Amino acid sequence: MKRAATLRLLSDLSNFSGAARLRELLAAGPPVRVRCSPDGRHLLLLRPPGAPAPQLLVAVRGPGKDLERAWPVGHPSPLDAFFLPWPMRPALVLVWESGLAEVWGASVGPGWRLLQSTELCPGGGSRVVAVAAARGRLVWCEERQADAKGQLVPWSATFSHCVCVRTLEPSGEAGTNLGRTDILLHHCPPFGLLASRKDVFLVPTANTWPGVGHILLIWSPGKGKVMVAAPSLGLSHSKSLNPGRGDTWDFRTLLRGLPGLLSPRQPLTVHTWAPTLQGLLLLDYRGTVSLVQSHGGTRAVGTLQEAPVGLAGSAALGMFHSTLACVLGSTLELLDMGSGQLLERKVLSTDRVHLLEPLAPGTEDEEELETRGGLRLLSALGLFRVSWEAPQGLELPSSEDLVFEEACEYYQRRSLRGAQLTPEELRHNSIFRAPQALASILQGHVSPSTLLITLKAELRDYRNLEQLKAQLVAGDDEEAGWTQLAEQEVARLLRTELMGDQLAQLNTIFQALPTAAWGAILRALQLQPDGNGRLRSQAPPDVWKKVLGGTAAGKEPPNGILPLFELLCQCLCRLEPRWLPPFVELAQQQGGPGWGAGGPGLPLYRRALAVLGEEGTRPEALELELLLGSGRPKAVLQAVGQLMQKEQWERALEAGLAFGPSSPLLRSEIFKLLLAEFARHRRLDAHLPLLCRLCPPDLAPAELLLLLRTHLPDESEPPTPFSQPGAEPPLTVGLLRVLLEQTGAQGRPSGPVLSLYEDILWDQGTPPPTPPRGPVITFQTSDHPVLEAWAPSGQDLCVTDTG
């Protein structure tokens, strides 16, 4: 049973002074600007210039008198109005485009009175284009067109504005203390101003020069910092900006000192801005809601069901707990801030609805305590609260029950047995101690000192991480800070199960900061070179199990996310390709059953080759090293075949000799491949000593000759003592004798002769004597050429004339 969003009526506005006028202004057009006092007792409505009177209405809940102001035609109405967070009495400030500012306060008796009037632009010739109030400060953006002498300043209209600040503090019962005017930025484009309780946001407007229309600034008065952010670029830079110390910035100089911010980008197209305690919400014209946080980071929140079609700024955005509320016309949509999922969509009975600011902490009275945990909506129909409420009769489980239920799901996913695990079994089974320990902590059975000792390491890591984040936000030594943050995050992720979001986050870190991420892996695996071109590791087996775990055979990684082993191979290819084969060889030695090496999945060398790309596009040197280092017969024979194609005979022979002692069958296969090449051509003759060493010791001479005969080239003509010019020289007996001698290097076997050719090799006696020869007789040539014949020594020579 899921929770439901409820709209509860807090007030029908009858308890506000001037209720009829309040409903009239809320229901009539054009749109009206609505603000709420920090204590929630006053509502301010300001109508745009040219609207019917009254243009200003301040309604009070409970006892008190409302304030109505109207300005006749030809007299401009205020540009904006704000409540001031004064604890003693309600007060508000009105600001005109001319720079006039009036401070009004509720007097001791009924009614309102003017406390002070001042000029924000005393020099004249300037006009205020935007204004905001934040924590007793008035911040405005003014356009300066003339200097003190009334002459036009030769500035470009693009950067003819400045942003100023002035403090407003109460003084006594009916006084106001105005601070001096400080310039935060000068020579800047026109900015819109929005304020939350902590920060002031300077956002681009339709009149901002497009070249800087993608940049916004976040000023934090409490920190004395300004954050310059470009959400579309994902960049942010922090600078010091404390008016109390005399800090001020030339906008153009500020941007020139921040690399990357002036990259060509389209201006921000924002329909509605909304400041919140968590940052600045922005809704674009596609219906996408994003959050710009105080540190300058931007993240997408979600997408509305319908894109905004009304006037810019006509939507209303707000947040309560982890829920985003958006009022668009007569539709209220609630989205989860974490996942962006649409939680609920309601159709309202009116399209003029305003979201009110959250109440200031410590100002709620008993009646307002009910509004905590939700947002307040104001319309002509009344004041409402939207919040989440559990259905009636729903009994929430205890924290201990939740622990055992979550533990059941965790252990069941990793269990090989078919029986279902139950929470009761976990409660009484001593094998699973982690959920019992956590339940004891939640029940208060573990003392605070014991719990602190248990969590000491985690708390120290968390504190260091928060300090590092603060250092990055401050902009101090950013490069070293990002490196340290990446290393800490990789180390933390290696302690998790590395599934789903954790694996995706690890992929992101390796893409953004590969060097820092690989440094963390080096420490986790304790990798060290041994001086012989190999790597050694002292990491425990459970760490290697996480590294070598992969997806099932034949399945692609989800959404392009690489398993950790492939991720490390890809990182090594980018940083140090020469260490990839030793790393894969080390991983093959570490692998256990079902880890990805020796399990049902792909062998590790195949997984590493897949990272290098498709066959034919891989770096040849790396591919050969991976194939030879795999130790797999099929891969080694493939590598030897590639070496033979490139005629790298010595390396092919050395590869066979390297696998000789460990794999005699593989050695024999490599020898047969090279022997076939030896029979076909003479390019292996220079490496005959290595080929003799590779010859298997149990190979008989007859077998050797049969193998050679199989691969000898076919002769179409009778053999000749000398080869034709340009032809491949044939295999000679002299070369063959060396190989035949190698086959009998273990000593002559006892018993009968097994081969017709062994007597050639093993007869160590003297050769037979030369037969006697007779005297040489010289024959004369006859006068007529005839067939000549000769007889052996001692016989008469007969010459017959056949003519």
Side-chain angles (χ1 to χ4, degrees):
M1 188 179 298
K2 67 177 185 179
R3 59 181 182 174
T6 60
L7 273 175
R8 179 184 175 188
L9 179 64
L10 299 178
S11 170
D12 61 358
L13 304 183
S14 59
N15 57 342
F16 282 85
S17 61
R21 181 71 77 178
L22 180 60
R23 295 191 186 97
E24 176 187 349
L25 267 62
L26 289 172
V32 64
R33 183 171 297 173
V34 177
R35 301 197 186 277
C36 179
S37 62
D39 60 0
R41 295 187 61 247
H42 299 78
L43 292 175
L44 183 150
L45 280 70
L46 181 64
R47 307 177 81 177
Q55 286 88 19
L56 175 68
L57 173 66
V58 179
V60 185
R61 191 190 63 195
K65 185 175 178 56
D66 59 319
L67 171 66
E68 285 191 19
R69 290 287 307 275
W71 290 267
V73 179
H75 291 76
S77 57
L79 179 67
D80 211 335
F82 305 92
F83 283 106
L84 299 176
W86 290 357
M88 300 301 298
R89 62 181 183 275
L92 61 93
V93 57
L94 308 177
V95 181
W96 276 260
E97 184 178 297
S98 62
L100 174 65
E102 293 182 354
V103 181
W104 290 73
S107 58
V108 178
W112 293 73
R113 58 189 294 264
L114 178 64
L115 300 180
Q116 189 168 355
S117 178
T118 185
E119 288 287 344
L120 301 179
C121 311
S126 301
R127 67 184 186 95
V128 176
V129 297
V131 64
R135 302 181 64 178
R137 295 177 178 87
L138 198 62
V139 185
W140 69 94
C141 179
E142 67 176 62
E143 180 182 12
R144 293 189 170 182
Q145 299 179 349
D147 60 9
K149 299 180 180 180
Q151 298 177 354
L152 292 177
V153 179
W155 292 337
S156 171
T158 303
F159 300 102
S160 60
H161 295 69
C162 64
V163 178
C164 307
V165 62
R166 194 172 186 180
T167 58
L168 291 174
E169 299 175 354
S171 176
E173 291 293 331
T176 304
N177 185 15
L178 294 175
R180 63 185 179 90
T181 300
D182 296 306
I183 299 179
L184 300 178
L185 292 174
H186 51 90
H187 296 168
C188 67
F191 279 118
L193 299 178
L194 300 163
S196 65
R197 292 179 192 159
K198 301 185 301 180
D199 305 309
V200 178
F201 303 93
L202 287 70
V203 300
T205 66
N207 298 324
T208 302
W209 183 50
V212 294
H214 62 286
I215 296 175
L216 58 87
L217 289 82
I218 307 169
W219 179 48
S220 302
K223 300 178 181 178
K225 299 281 187 179
V226 63
M227 185 69 63
V228 186
S232 57
L233 295 173
L235 298 176
S236 61
H237 296 275
S238 176
K239 293 291 183 181
S240 174
L241 184 57
N242 189 344
R245 297 199 303 259
D247 292 345
T248 184
W249 278 102
D250 186 305
F251 181 76
R252 299 171 297 183
T253 305
L254 178 64
L255 291 191
R256 282 196 295 265
L258 302 178
L261 284 181
L262 291 180
S263 300
R265 283 285 167 172
Q266 292 295 327
L268 294 174
T269 55
V270 179
H271 180 272
T272 300
W273 307 89
T276 66
L277 291 176
Q278 291 77 13
L280 181 65
L281 290 171
L282 56 94
L283 170 66
D284 62 19
Y285 285 88
R286 296 173 299 178
T288 302
V289 182
S290 303
L291 176 66
V292 182
Q293 297 167 303
S294 300
H295 53 69
T298 304
R299 71 176 185 91
V301 175
T303 303
L304 304 180
Q305 295 292 306
E306 297 180 5
V309 294
L311 296 175
S314 58
L317 300 171
M319 290 172 54
F320 62 98
H321 290 315
S322 59
T323 304
L324 167 71
C326 179
V327 177
L328 195 60
S330 59
T331 303
L332 171 64
E333 293 190 21
L334 301 176
L335 280 73
D336 183 82
M337 288 290 297
S339 64
Q341 180 184 5
L342 177 66
L343 301 176
E344 195 160 343
R345 189 169 186 263
K346 291 180 178 293
V347 178
L348 308 176
S349 58
T350 177
D351 60 352
R352 291 183 173 87
V353 180
H354 305 271
L355 285 178
L356 300 182
E357 301 95 330
L359 299 175
T363 59
E364 301 95 333
D365 53 22
E366 292 299 326
E367 187 176 348
E368 290 294 340
L369 288 176
E370 298 180 353
T371 66
R372 291 180 177 177
L375 279 180
R376 294 175 301 156
L377 280 69
L378 178 65
S379 70
L381 302 177
L383 181 63
F384 297 84
R385 181 194 66 173
V386 57
S387 62
W388 296 109
E389 292 187 2
Q392 295 293 330
L394 178 63
E395 182 178 355
L396 296 177
S398 64
S399 56
E400 294 81 8
D401 295 335
L402 292 176
V403 167
F404 287 106
E405 289 177 5
E406 289 290 334
C408 273
E409 296 181 6
Y410 177 83
Y411 289 124
Q412 192 69 47
R413 289 196 302 266
R414 290 153 180 80
S415 177
L416 298 179
R417 67 173 189 170
Q420 185 71 26
L421 195 61
T422 63
E424 291 300 323
E425 185 177 354
L426 286 183
R427 290 178 186 272
H428 302 95
N429 195 337
S430 60
I431 298 178
F432 304 102
R433 293 179 297 175
Q436 294 178 353
L438 181 56
S440 299
I441 292 173
L442 295 175
Q443 293 170 357
H445 297 167
V446 178
S447 64
S449 58
T450 304
L451 179 59
L452 186 60
I453 294 174
T454 305
L455 300 178
K456 184 177 181 180
E458 285 77 5
L459 291 174
R460 183 178 63 251
D461 293 344
Y462 180 77
R463 182 190 61 186
N464 294 338
L465 185 61
E466 290 301 316
Q467 291 176 351
L468 182 58
K469 289 179 179 178
Q471 175 185 345
L472 290 174
V473 171
D476 300 334
D477 198 5
E478 293 189 12
E479 184 176 355
W482 284 117
T483 300
Q484 186 179 355
L485 180 60
E487 292 177 354
Q488 291 185 10
E489 193 64 11
V490 170
R492 182 190 69 81
L493 290 172
L494 287 178
R495 295 194 293 267
T496 66
E497 292 299 322
L498 281 183
M499 297 173 61
D501 293 341
Q502 291 86 359
L503 189 58
Q505 187 176 358
L506 195 62
N507 275 252
T508 303
I509 295 174
F510 268 88
Q511 292 172 6
L513 298 165
T515 304
W518 177 251
I521 293 294
L522 281 178
R523 278 183 289 277
L525 298 180
Q526 304 179 39
L527 295 177
Q528 292 179 349
D530 61 357
N532 297 322
R534 299 179 181 272
L535 291 174
R536 64 174 183 265
S537 170
Q538 298 179 355
D542 57 342
V543 176
W544 276 105
K545 185 175 181 179
K546 290 181 182 180
V547 171
L548 302 183
T551 56
K555 292 186 178 180
E556 294 294 331
N559 301 325
I561 297 174
L562 295 178
L564 181 54
F565 178 74
E566 280 80 354
L567 196 60
L568 298 183
C569 292
Q570 185 184 70
C571 184
L572 271 177
C573 287
R574 295 171 57 185
L575 300 178
E576 288 290 343
R578 64 188 180 92
W579 286 111
L580 178 60
F583 174 74
V584 176
E585 189 175 349
L586 175 65
Q588 291 171 156
Q589 300 170 6
Q590 302 292 332
W595 290 11
L602 289 174
L604 291 182
Y605 83 94
R606 293 275 301 276
R607 293 171 62 181
L609 286 174
V611 174
L612 296 180
E614 297 293 335
E615 189 171 355
T617 62
R618 303 165 183 159
E620 295 181 358
L622 276 182
E623 184 177 5
L624 280 172
E625 291 292 340
L626 289 173
L627 291 173
L628 292 174
S630 66
R632 302 239 175 180
K634 185 177 179 180
V636 173
L637 291 176
Q638 179 183 348
V640 171
Q642 293 181 11
L643 291 172
M644 290 166 54
Q645 290 177 2
K646 299 176 183 178
E647 298 189 2
Q648 298 182 12
W649 309 113
E650 184 174 359
R651 190 174 181 190
L653 288 163
E654 290 175 350
L657 291 171
F659 289 98
S662 60
S663 181
L665 291 178
L666 180 59
R667 172 177 180 168
S668 177
E669 290 296 324
I670 296 176
F671 175 75
K672 291 176 182 179
L673 289 176
L674 292 168
L675 185 65
E677 296 295 323
F678 179 71
R680 295 190 187 103
H681 53 76
R682 306 276 53 81
R683 290 185 288 276
L684 262 170
D685 293 355
H687 308 285
L688 187 57
L690 289 178
L691 185 62
C692 292
R693 289 175 54 194
L694 185 61
C695 180
D698 57 347
L699 185 66
E703 297 177 11
L704 176 66
L705 293 174
L706 288 175
L707 288 174
L708 284 171
R709 182 180 179 183
T710 305
H711 300 289
L712 283 173
D714 297 332
E715 296 182 353
S716 59
E717 298 179 358
T720 59
F722 300 100
S723 59
Q724 298 294 330
E728 187 75 32
L731 178 63
T732 62
V733 177
L735 294 172
L736 184 59
R737 182 181 179 90
V738 179
L739 275 175
L740 290 173
E741 289 176 350
Q742 182 66 27
T743 58
Q746 301 298 328
R748 183 171 186 174
S750 61
V753 176
L754 300 178
S755 172
L756 298 175
Y757 310 98
E758 290 190 9
D759 56 344
I760 301 175
L761 301 174
W762 297 107
D763 189 3
Q764 302 296 330
T766 59
T770 304
R773 299 173 181 262
V776 178
I777 299 175
T778 305
F779 302 97
Q780 295 180 355
T781 306
S782 62
D783 295 338
H784 303 281
V786 294
L787 295 177
E788 297 179 355
W790 61 278
S793 176
Q795 298 182 5
D796 295 334
L797 178 63
C798 296
V799 179
T800 305
D801 190 357
T802 60

